[in-house]
Amino acid sequence: MSHDLGDSVAAYALNALPSEEVLIVGAAVRVDPDLQSDYDTHRRVAARLADGFPEVVPAMSPDLWGRIARSAGIQSEAPVGTPAQDTTPVWRRTGSVAFGIAAMLVVAVLAVALLSSRQSAPTQLDLAAAAATEPGAASVSLVAPDSSQAVFSAVLAADGRGYLTAESLPALPGDRTYQLWAIVDDRVISAGVLGSDPDVSQFRVEGNLVGLAVTEEIVGGVAVSENDPVAVWLAEA
Amino acid sequence: MRMILATTDRDGASAVVEPDAPRPRNPELFDDVTMRDTLLEQREEALSEAYRRFGRKVFRVAYGVLRRTELAEDVTQEVFVRLWQRPERFDPSRGSLGGFLQLDAHGRSIDLLRSERSRAEREIKEQRLSSASSAPASIEEEVMKRISSAEVRDALERLRPEERSPIALAYFLGHSYRGVADLLGVPEGTVKSRIRTGMSRLREQLDTDALAFG
C-alpha cells in the first residue's frame, strides 16, 4: 500500500475526502483487504469521536418517525421510548493470462448472443462482439464490491471505445438509473448514464484508464456521485 | 472507560449494545446480527426498533455537524430509510449498528454541509463560532470547548497540535482535507498525513473495541 493511499484512507474514514475522491478511494478500499482493514480501524476511531458532539440538542419532531415510515413505505407504529504513468492504457500493458481467458469467455458469450440476434443493422451487441476481436482489445469484469460477483463485463478497445454489458443486475425503479464512471489517472469522470435496466452500452474514454465503476443514481445522472459503487473494475498497476 | 454490554448471537458471534441506547422493546432484536437479519427480511419492527434505540444518537451527530434542526431531521430520515432499503450495507462482523448509523449520519451531514445550498450558511455559522477572529486556532479552540465527551476531548488534547487541528476541523466542522489545508496554510499531503498519524494516536487512547462500525 502506498503511503499516499494510506493517508487518503484515513481521510476517507474521517469523511474528510472531497467528493471527487470518495469513489476512487472507496473502490480501492473495497478490493484491497489491507486497505479495508486500515479503513475499519480508522472508522472505529471516527465512531468514538461521535461522542464528542454536544449532548444537548433540540427535540426531534414527533412526526419524524412518521416521515421515515412513509418514505420507507412501511406502516409500523411509532416506536415507544424515543426514539494508477505512461500514455498506454493499462489494459493494453497488462497482457495477463486472466485477461486472455476473460476475453475468450466474453467473446464466446457475445458470439452466441450475436448468432441469436437479428441479421439487420448492427446493434450495440454486434459492435461489442466485433470490438472484442480487435487487436489490443481487452475484456474485463466489473464485480460487486461485497461479493466479487461479476455484475458487468466490458470490452475495452485500443482506441478508447468501450462496451459495457450487464451480466447480473436488478432493474431499478423508473426514477433511478445506473451510471458509469471512468477512473482516468486520479480523476473520476462520468462515462455515461446507463438507464434503469441496461443491456449493452457503448462508452468512450480518453487517457490512462485505471478503473471503471457503476453507481446507482437519480434519473438523469449526477455530476459527482456520493453513492457506493455497485460494481468495480480496477486495473492492475 | 466505556462500558459495554456484549451478547452472543445464535451463531456464536458477539454483538455490542451501547449502554446509553434504550433497552430493546423487542428482546428478539437485542443483538445487531439478529437486527440486520430481520431488516434483510424486511420486517418492519426491526426498523422501528433501530430508530427507537439509535434515532436520537443519529440526530445528535447530524445536528452537531449541521446545527439546524430541520436539516438534521432530514439526515436522520435518510439514514434510517437507507438502512431499510439497503440493510446489507451494515456488516455486524465489523462493528455495531449504532456506530454504523452514527457514521452514516456524519457522512451524509457533511455531504449536505458541503453542498452549494448550505455553503453560505456554514460560513455564517463559522464566523459566528469564531466570534471576532476567524483564525483557525480560534475556531479549533471553540470546537474543543464544545466537545461534550471528556474522554474524546482529553484524547484530542493529548495529540500534537499539528495532528489535532486537521482532525477537529475536518470531523467537527465538516471540512475536507483540502479545506483544512487552505485554512491552516499547509500542503494538502501534509494534512492527510497528519490526519493519519493523529487517527492512529487516537486509537491508542480511545476504547474503540466497543464501537466498531459496519
Side-chain angles (χ1 to χ4, degrees):
Chain A
M1 170 177 54
S2 74
H3 188 71
D4 285 348
L5 190 51
D7 292 347
S8 292
V9 169
Y12 179 46
L14 203 62
N15 292 321
L17 282 184
S19 56
E20 62 269 25
E21 294 183 28
V22 167
L23 191 65
I24 188 169
V25 176
V29 165
R30 284 170 181 81
V31 300
D32 186 321
D34 291 336
L35 289 180
Q36 180 77 63
S37 178
D38 284 352
Y39 175 71
D40 287 355
T41 299
H42 291 313
R43 285 293 269 187
R44 292 186 182 99
V45 174
R48 288 292 282 111
L49 291 177
D51 288 345
F53 285 110
E55 292 180 355
V56 179
V57 294
M60 294 184 291
S61 166
D63 186 44
L64 181 54
W65 169 252
R67 288 165 48 191
I68 293 170
R70 284 192 295 276
S71 187
I74 68 175
Q75 296 180 339
S76 181
E77 65 183 38
V80 175
T82 37
Q85 164 92 34
D86 70 24
T87 55
T88 306
V90 170
W91 70 80
R92 277 187 264 163
R93 285 188 268 129
T94 317
S96 69
V97 174
F99 266 12
I101 294 172
M104 290 171 64
L105 288 171
V106 169
V107 170
V109 168
L110 291 173
V112 169
L114 182 57
L115 288 171
S116 62
S117 66
R118 295 173 303 170
Q119 301 296 309
S120 54
T123 65
Q124 296 281 20
L125 191 60
D126 302 334
L127 296 172
T133 64
E134 292 175 4
S139 297
V140 302
S141 292
L142 282 71
V143 302
D146 297 334
S147 66
S148 295
Q149 178 186 7
V151 180
F152 290 92
S153 61
V155 174
L156 307 173
D159 63 358
R161 283 173 296 127
Y163 297 89
L164 188 72
T165 303
E167 301 288 348
S168 58
L169 191 69
L172 296 173
D175 60 343
R176 307 288 293 172
T177 185
Y178 291 104
Q179 186 166 358
L180 176 65
W181 302 89
I183 304 169
V184 180
D185 293 324
D186 60 353
R187 296 174 298 131
V188 178
I189 302 166
S190 177
V193 176
L194 306 175
S196 61
D197 190 15
D199 185 13
V200 183
S201 309
Q202 181 176 2
F203 62 95
R204 174 173 288 280
V205 176
E206 304 292 342
N208 182 36
L209 180 68
V210 297
L212 293 169
V214 175
T215 60
E216 179 187 327
E217 307 293 350
I218 59 172
V219 160
V222 296
V224 177
S225 178
E226 298 175 348
N227 294 319
D228 294 335
V230 299
V232 175
W233 164 72
L234 292 177
E236 296 174 17
Chain B
M1 178 64 71
R2 187 179 180 81
M3 297 291 291
I4 63 170
L5 300 172
T7 65
T8 303
D9 73 83
R10 59 177 179 262
D11 298 321
S14 65
V16 172
V17 176
E18 293 160 49
D20 46 347
R23 297 288 293 180
R25 190 165 57 139
N26 185 346
E28 183 185 342
L29 300 176
F30 186 64
D31 69 84
D32 288 347
V33 175
T34 308
M35 179 76 87
R36 199 278 303 266
D37 290 348
T38 312
L39 285 165
L40 286 170
E41 295 168 359
Q42 294 286 276
R43 286 168 53 186
E44 297 178 0
E45 67 268 29
L47 186 65
S48 174
E49 180 66 29
Y51 177 76
R52 197 184 72 80
R53 287 170 55 188
F54 304 116
R56 185 157 183 81
K57 284 190 159 197
V58 167
F59 175 77
R60 175 188 168 195
V61 171
Y63 185 81
V65 174
L66 294 162
R67 315 293 293 173
R68 281 182 56 183
T69 303
E70 64 273 26
L71 294 181
E73 290 191 342
D74 287 348
V75 167
T76 304
Q77 176 179 345
E78 183 179 356
V79 165
F80 283 98
V81 171
R82 278 157 56 99
L83 177 66
W84 176 250
Q85 294 176 335
R86 296 184 59 192
E88 73 280 2
R89 291 175 62 244
F90 166 57
D91 181 354
S93 71
R94 292 165 56 199
S96 73
L97 181 58
F100 170 78
L101 292 172
Q102 287 185 94
L103 286 176
D104 201 27
H106 184 256
R108 302 307 295 172
S109 299
I110 284 180
D111 290 343
L112 187 54
L113 190 67
R114 293 180 191 161
S115 71
E116 290 292 334
R117 182 155 58 90
S118 59
R119 181 174 299 168
E121 294 176 9
R122 178 182 58 175
E123 290 171 355
I124 292 169
K125 297 261 182 215
E126 286 178 8
Q127 288 170 6
R128 189 181 303 156
L129 180 69
S130 61
S131 301
S133 169
S134 61
S138 177
I139 298 173
E140 181 194 325
E141 287 171 11
E142 291 298 323
V143 168
M144 293 298 291
K145 286 178 184 174
R146 288 187 349 204
I147 291 176
S148 62
S149 161
E151 185 183 1
V152 171
R153 189 170 53 249
D154 290 348
L156 285 167
E157 285 176 344
R158 282 196 290 269
L159 295 179
R160 294 184 300 198
E162 61 266 30
E163 295 169 342
R164 181 172 60 243
S165 295
I167 292 174
L169 295 173
Y171 192 81
F172 292 104
L173 290 183
H175 291 288
S176 70
Y177 76 85
R178 288 179 179 167
V180 172
D182 285 342
L183 276 170
L184 299 179
V186 296
E188 293 177 355
T190 302
V191 169
K192 282 200 292 186
S193 177
R194 289 173 178 174
I195 286 175
R196 184 187 195 182
T197 56
M199 294 287 279
S200 297
R201 290 180 194 276
L202 284 173
R203 181 193 171 202
E204 296 167 0
Q205 298 171 36
L206 294 170
D207 177 11
T208 58
D209 291 336
L211 243 184
F213 82 107

